[in-house]
Amino acid sequence: MAVTDLTHCSYFHLFEPQMMGQEHISYINKYDSLSIAFLCDPNNSSLETALAMAEGSPTTFQSESDLLAHVKDIDLLVIASPNFMHTPQLLRWGQHDITILCEKPAAISEKQVAALKAAQPNLKANIWIAMEYRFMPAINKLVQLLPHVGPIKKVAIRENRYPFLTKIEEWNKDIDKSGDTLVEKCCHFFDLFRLITAKDMTSCVSKGMRGRLEAYLPENKVFLYERPTSLWADKSKPPPQGSFSEEVFDCSDLRQVYDFVDELPNMHSGYHYCSTAIEWKYLIDAINAAAEGGEFVPKVSLEDGIKAVEMGIASLNNITNGDSTSRKVTAHSTKSADNLLDLVLNSTAFNEMKLNVQQ
């Protein structure tokens, strides 16, 4: 298989290998065709944690610029840094002929979105946005069962979860670093709205309050209810017993959902009901297809990632509660990152920089 040529898998991660970082490393370790050549993190504790998990002897860096100097030795780059860093890193690394798996969200502010959209046509990298919820077995089963419920009238998603995960220096509690809940977390759900309905948002009405409320579903099951039939003649009364049926699909058995389960290494369920394992399978398939002369087709493209963020930003901007102090998210940044975004927004200057990089 072409993926055997993928001998260097660079895992680039800043500040937070406790959750998604560890999860990605654990799946990379399962594939003999992948090896982690580099680890990058400015935080000593995080870097040591990642190094202890990674098989082999990866070279470690604490500076992104040091890692970037080795870009020609990298086939696959995994970006699992704090949210506000995703856009600048996509812009830096996207100029190179590599594959990038970037954790969601692709951006957290209107300026970052504008910069990604301006740069997207000229990026050389094959980019895949990591939307693990798409690959949750229960979500996939739900999509498979859509023909059984007829035309979609309404899609509702509710998730219940404790508010904050523990992250380095608590960056996730700062909205200018996380993007706030409607972007940071709900981009998953906005992406699912687009996936399930096969439509894009045309308008947005939001109710609620600025803040953070997150949640996880407790079961890995899908319930299929057949609508009441002609037995339910009088709709002013509850449907009589026997007029509808229920079928339960236990999606913890992946064979009820996927026909390629035997192709997967001995995977664990991880934090996302094994969805990250499914994501890696699809990613490797896409890399193989491209290596064999085909097109790299991500299951979740950069455009998909941008649209999910745009929906979240639109929702967030609609929530003010009459509070005159409400403001839009301004992504936390550094001077170099700001300069990069400004350069990209001046597309002529960015194209000249890109040509210099290629030369």
Side-chain angles (χ1 to χ4, degrees), residues 131 134 186-195 300 304 308:
M131 291 281 195
R134 275 201 184 206
C186 293
C187 67
H188 273 307
F189 308 131
F190 293 129
D191 181 61
L192 291 180
F193 285 142
R194 293 184 62 245
L195 176 68
V300 189
D304 291 326

Side-chain angles (χ1 to χ4, degrees), residues 1-193:
M1 295 178 66
V3 76
T4 56
D5 293 330
L6 191 63
T7 55
H8 298 293
C9 172
S10 171
Y11 171 75
F12 174 70
H13 184 226
L14 296 176
F15 298 120
E16 187 226 332
Q18 285 86 1
M19 301 290 291
M20 284 314 302
Q22 290 184 10
E23 187 160 350
H24 283 304
I25 290 176
S26 68
Y27 290 121
I28 292 171
N29 287 340
K30 297 288 186 177
Y31 287 95
D32 294 336
S33 56
L34 301 179
S35 63
I36 301 176
F38 306 106
L39 293 167
C40 183
D41 196 317
N43 184 279
N44 284 324
S45 175
S46 300
L47 191 59
E48 290 172 2
T49 300
L51 186 60
M53 289 190 62
E55 294 183 355
S57 302
T59 302
T60 60
F61 301 102
Q62 290 189 293
S63 166
E64 181 182 357
S65 59
D66 290 340
L67 179 61
L68 192 57
H70 293 267
V71 65
K72 292 184 179 180
D73 300 319
I74 296 170
D75 297 303
L76 172 61
L77 176 78
V78 180
I79 297 176
S81 52
N83 300 348
F84 68 94
M85 305 180 76
H86 293 175
T87 293
Q89 288 165 354
L90 282 171
L91 295 175
R92 292 190 195 100
W93 293 85
Q95 301 171 52
H96 301 277
D97 187 15
I98 61 175
T99 298
I100 299 175
L101 174 66
C102 180
E103 271 300 323
K104 61 81 193 170
I108 68 168
S109 69
E110 292 177 353
K111 183 177 181 180
Q112 287 192 343
V113 167
L116 283 179
K117 294 173 79 170
Q120 187 176 5
N122 297 306
L123 296 178
K124 290 186 63 180
N126 294 322
I127 299 175
W128 180 305
I129 302 300
M131 291 281 195
E132 284 82 15
Y133 281 39
R134 275 201 184 206
F135 309 109
M136 284 185 175
I139 297 297
N140 274 262
K141 193 64 181 180
L142 182 147
V143 172
Q144 292 171 15
L145 293 171
L146 286 177
H148 292 272
V149 299
I152 297 175
K153 303 297 184 182
K154 180 180 180 180
V155 178
I157 299 175
R158 176 177 176 175
E159 191 183 49
N160 300 298
R161 179 189 181 193
Y162 48 89
F164 290 103
L165 300 175
T166 301
K167 308 218 174 180
I168 297 295
E169 297 179 0
E170 297 188 332
W171 65 262
N172 54 320
K173 296 183 180 180
D174 183 340
I175 65 171
D176 289 333
K177 294 181 179 179
S178 71
D180 211 357
T181 300
L182 285 169
V183 172
E184 191 274 339
K185 191 63 186 179
C186 293
C187 67
H188 273 307
F189 308 131
F190 293 129
D191 181 61
L192 291 180
F193 285 142

Side-chain angles (χ1 to χ4, degrees), residues 301-315:
S301 67
L302 177 57
E303 183 178 1
D304 291 326
I306 291 173
K307 287 185 176 181
V309 170
E310 288 181 314
M311 294 170 73
I313 290 175
S315 299

